Every structure is written in structure tokens, then in C-alpha cells.
């Protein structure tokens, strides 16, 4: 018996079940949702990969700012 039920048909890439994307336990601002979808489509990366890269860049930038002080 499978532990999870899978849909018979997959959703089209770029469509979210939830209007606001919730990934990595972070709420994405609605102004960025369209940008993330477009970038995901153009780069063929997942939305989660894009958000994870943005968070990593943000952390790196903050660390550099703190080191410069």
C-alpha cells in the first residue's frame, strides 16, 4: 500500500496549486511570484531551486556586509 496518493495526471509546469508559493518554509511575496514562475520556465529550474539560490545570495551578501563593518 503506497504511503502517498499520486495524481493520475501531472499539473502543467509553472502552475501552482496555491496562489502564493510556499517553499522552504518561507512565504514568497506576491509581487515576486510571477517573476519566479517566468524565471523557472526560462531556466527550466524548479521554483524551489530559484528561491534557494536567492536566499543563499542574500545570506552571502549579509555576511559580507557584516564583515565589512
Amino acid at each position: 500500500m503506497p504511503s502517498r496518493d499520486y495524481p493520475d495526471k501531472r499539473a502543467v509546469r509553472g502552475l501552482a496549486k496555491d496562489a502564493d508559493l510556499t517553499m522552504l518554509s518561507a512565504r514568497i511575496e506576491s509581487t515576486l511570484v510571477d517573476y519566479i514562475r517566468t524565471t523557472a520556465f526560462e531556466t527550466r529550474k524548479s521554483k524551489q531551486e530559484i528561491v534557494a539560490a536567492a536566499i543563499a545570495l542574500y545570506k552571502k551578501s549579509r555576511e559580507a556586509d557584516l564583515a565589512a563593518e
Side-chain angles (χ1 to χ4, degrees):
M1 178 175 207
S3 60
R4 182 174 170 182
D5 293 329
Y6 291 94
D8 294 335
K9 191 172 184 181
R10 292 186 68 185
V12 177
R13 182 181 178 93
L15 296 180
K17 291 179 182 176
D18 188 6
D20 295 325
L21 301 176
T22 304
M23 295 176 280
L24 302 171
S25 300
R27 179 71 68 193
I28 306 302
E29 287 189 37
S30 58
T31 56
L32 296 176
V33 172
D34 289 332
Y35 175 76
I36 292 170
R37 282 190 183 129
T38 302
T39 304
F41 179 76
E42 291 173 354
T43 61
R44 305 308 292 172
K45 290 185 177 183
S46 72
K47 291 183 272 314
Q48 186 166 350
E49 288 173 317
I50 294 166
V51 173
I55 291 171
L57 286 172
Y58 175 76
K59 286 181 179 180
K60 189 175 183 179
S61 172
R62 293 279 297 156
E63 290 171 359
D65 289 345
L66 292 174
E69 290 178 353

